[in-house]
């Protein structure tokens, strides 16, 4: 499928006049339409709720849009809890799915009334001391081994640091009941960025079967089952996108096969998707500022891996559109690079693209999730702005770009004189 940016060259040129590149751009219309489709896919389940994984795109404006669409927040750190609270998203609209959790994070999550999803059996005592055991509590399951689907091995839960073993799940539910817990949730995250409609149904089968056994053997009231994240997006143009409606139907079939006959037809489902909710609806916008002809052909951009690190750390593919040249032949082979002193700082290697001229705007696709969020300050690079393309077509800055003052704010300014003023009017 041909990948098309959600802005035109003309729109983007207007935005760039106001906000210089590089920046992350988000598509409100696309976000809302996709969110509605997700809800529709699971509308057959009465209690269904998506808890957006805040870590994917931690911006309060984005969280607010998703909250308006009925989503809660999946948080896993102190500051993610803060952002959620700032957006008025509290109580059972927060799923706190954390691991190796510091005491004060449990305390804060309990204070907000968040649903706690425990990552380990030893966290029961820890939570009891730091916040207390709530009436509703969830445990994260890790079946170990490899998680396979009909199209091959998908992931390796046996190597993952997360979750409780099968035996520990039973033990944990018994202990939690003794300590006063009344309602239970079960959570698992067994594969990441799955581009197949099979993942959620296959995961649901594992969790639903476990839920029936847990109920039978411990008498626990299973209130919800959390399919977590892992639903992927087609980063490559030759991949078929997931069909969330088909995924919802696939989960429904398993629900009716396993939970309904067990008298558990009132169990609510939840999800904690991040990538699927935001990934395609964000792009990194950068300008081509250098071309270099040595052993290879290089295009140097004003963005770098500090703005989007997935290609540098995972070798991940991100599609690139040269704005205004969508219909020109891809007859030039380029490495598209950033300016970090790291040879891995390449958005694309040996990529066939139309001829790029200096000043061309590049749209780097599918940067809406785990994009800005994974940014860092190596080489003293400043984090870029985040801009929202609103439904009415206007652009709104939802986070300004960092300044040198931001970067150096944690030094004691009284001991050194940083040359800030000289660089500003
Ligand atoms: C990262 C994460 C998610 C979101 O994962 P995606 O692949 O972005 O859908 C959900 N839940 C937990 C606990 C996570 O760590």
């Amino acid at each position: 499928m041909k990948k098309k940016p959600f802005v035109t060259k003309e729109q983007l040129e207007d935005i760039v006049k106001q906000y210089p590149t590089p920046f992350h751009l988000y598509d409100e219309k696309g976000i809302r339409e996709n969110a509605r489709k997700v809800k529709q896919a699971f509308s057959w389940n009465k209690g269904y709720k998506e808890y957006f994984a805040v870590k994917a795109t931690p911006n309060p404006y984005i969280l607010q849009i998703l909250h308006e669409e009925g989503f809660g927040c999946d948080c896993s750190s102190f500051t993610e809890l803060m952002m959620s609270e700032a957006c008025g998203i509290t109580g059972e609209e927060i799923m706190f799915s954390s691991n190796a959790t510091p005491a004060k994070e449990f305390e804060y999550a309990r204070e907000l009334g968040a649903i706690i999803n425990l990552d380990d059996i030893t966290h029961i005592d820890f939570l009891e001391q730091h916040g207390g055991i709530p009436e509703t509590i969830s445990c994260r399951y890790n079946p170990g081994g490899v998680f396979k689907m009909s199209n091959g091995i998908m992931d390796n839960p046996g190597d993952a640091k997360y979750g409780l073993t099968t035996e520990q799940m039973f033990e944990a539910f018994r202990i939690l009941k003794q300590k006063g817990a009344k309602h239970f949730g079960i959570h698992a995250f067994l594969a990441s960025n799955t581009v197949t409609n099979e993942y959620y149904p296959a995961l649901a089968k594992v969790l639903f079967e476990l839920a029936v056994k847990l109920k039978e053997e411990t008498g626990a009231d299973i209130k919800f089952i959390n399919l977590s994240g892992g639903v992927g997006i087609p980063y490559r143009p030759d991949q078929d996108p997931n069909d969330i409606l088909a995924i919802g139907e696939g989960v429904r079939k398993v629900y009716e096969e396993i939970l309904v006959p067990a008298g558990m037809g009132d169990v609510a489902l939840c999800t904690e998707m991040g990538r699927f909710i935001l990934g395609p609806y964000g792009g990194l916008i950068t300008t081509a500022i250098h071309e270099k002809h040595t052993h290879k052909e290089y295009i140097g951009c004003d963005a770098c891996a500090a703005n989007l690190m997935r290609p540098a750390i995972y070798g991940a593919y991100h599609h690139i559109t040269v704005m205004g040249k969508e219909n020109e032949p891809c007859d030039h082979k380029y490495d598209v690079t950033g300016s970090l002193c790291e040879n891995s700082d390449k958005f694309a290697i040996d990529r066939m693209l139309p001829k790029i001229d200096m000043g061309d705007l590049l749209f780097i696709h599918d940067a809406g999730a785990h994009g800005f969020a994974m940014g860092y300050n190596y080489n003293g690079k400043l984090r870029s702005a985040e801009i929202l393309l609103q439904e009415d077509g206007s652009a709104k800055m939802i986070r300004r770009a960092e300044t040198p003052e931001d970067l150096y704010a944690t030094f004691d300014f009284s001991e050194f004189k940083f040359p800030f003023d000289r660089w500003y009017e």
Side-chain angles (χ1 to χ4, degrees), residues 53 55 74 97 140 187 189 192 228-230 272-275 370:
K55 75 162 192 266
D74 165 37
S97 288
R140 182 169 184 164
H187 168 285
F189 189 150
S192 196
S228 189
E272 298 173 337
M273 290 179 271
R275 195 186 311 270
H370 312 295

Side-chain angles (χ1 to χ4, degrees), residues 139-143 147 169 185-190 199-215 222 224-228 254 258-259 264 267 269-270:
C139 289
R140 182 169 184 164
Y141 177 49
N142 183 338
F147 182 70
M169 287 294 287
I186 307 171
H187 168 285
F189 189 150
L190 300 186
Y199 170 62
Y200 262 4
L203 170 67
K205 186 167 188 295
V206 172
L207 290 181
F208 294 171
E209 283 170 351
L210 176 68
V212 172
K213 282 198 202 120
L214 277 166
K215 187 186 171 186
I222 314 280
F224 65 88
I225 292 173
N226 185 345
L227 301 176
S228 189
V254 185
I258 300 170
L259 288 184
M264 295 171 75
V267 171
L269 290 183
C270 22

Side-chain angles (χ1 to χ4, degrees), residues 39-49 225 252 255 259 264-270:
K39 272 193 306 190
Q40 188 196 337
F42 292 96
S43 57
W44 55 267
N45 181 257
K46 203 164 135 263
Y48 172 74
K49 194 171 181 76
I225 292 173
R252 179 191 359 210
Y255 190 97
L259 288 184
M264 295 171 75
D266 58 349
V267 171
L269 290 183
C270 22

Side-chain angles (χ1 to χ4, degrees), residues 116-349:
I116 310 261
N117 182 35
L118 291 179
D119 183 66
D120 189 49
I121 195 161
T122 64
H123 291 187
I124 297 172
D125 287 342
F126 193 78
L127 177 63
E128 192 171 35
Q129 288 156 28
H130 302 286
I133 304 292
E135 278 202 356
T136 300
I137 191 149
S138 173
C139 289
R140 182 169 184 164
Y141 177 49
N142 183 338
V146 285
F147 182 70
K148 283 188 205 141
M149 281 178 285
S150 64
N151 60 351
I153 295 177
M154 287 305 296
D155 231 316
N156 209 344
D159 266 351
K161 66 172 176 170
Y162 310 104
L164 293 77
T165 66
T166 311
E167 299 71 38
Q168 288 172 340
M169 287 294 287
F170 287 86
E171 180 75 12
F173 273 40
R174 285 194 191 97
I175 297 170
L176 284 164
K177 268 187 85 176
Q178 277 166 15
K179 292 187 187 288
K182 295 199 164 56
H183 311 289
F184 290 82
I186 307 171
H187 168 285
F189 189 150
L190 300 186
S192 196
N193 192 30
T194 56
V195 191
T196 158
N197 295 335
E198 261 186 74
Y199 170 62
Y200 262 4
L203 170 67
K205 186 167 188 295
V206 172
L207 290 181
F208 294 171
E209 283 170 351
L210 176 68
V212 172
K213 282 198 202 120
L214 277 166
K215 187 186 171 186
E216 278 170 5
E217 290 185 27
T218 70
D221 170 37
I222 314 280
K223 200 170 141 195
F224 65 88
I225 292 173
N226 185 345
L227 301 176
S228 189
V231 178
I233 58 170
Y235 286 99
R236 291 176 181 275
D238 58 2
Q239 287 177 296
D240 289 325
N242 284 329
D243 176 351
I244 196 69
L245 298 179
I247 291 174
E249 266 310 295
V251 175
R252 179 191 359 210
K253 261 184 68 191
V254 185
Y255 190 97
E256 283 171 359
E257 264 166 38
I258 300 170
L259 288 184
V260 173
M264 295 171 75
D266 58 349
V267 171
L269 290 183
C270 22
T271 53
E272 298 173 337
M273 290 179 271
R275 195 186 311 270
F276 187 80
I277 304 298
L278 248 296
Y281 312 106
L284 173 59
I285 315 299
T286 181
T287 305
I289 55 173
H290 291 284
E291 55 187 316
K292 174 166 173 161
H293 318 280
T294 56
H295 308 288
K296 297 181 87 173
E297 293 294 301
Y298 293 100
I299 295 296
C301 304
D302 60 3
C304 65
N307 304 110
L308 177 66
M309 80 190 303
R310 298 186 69 260
I313 60 167
Y314 311 127
Y317 181 96
H318 278 264
H319 199 65
I320 297 177
T321 297
V322 184
M323 296 305 294
K325 298 185 176 173
E326 289 83 349
N327 297 317
E328 291 185 19
C330 293
D331 53 4
H332 283 64
K333 191 193 264 187
Y334 292 118
D335 281 15
V336 180
T337 81
S339 57
L340 291 186
C341 303
E342 273 292 333
N343 196 41
S344 62
D345 184 16
K346 293 178 178 173
F347 291 118
I349 297 171

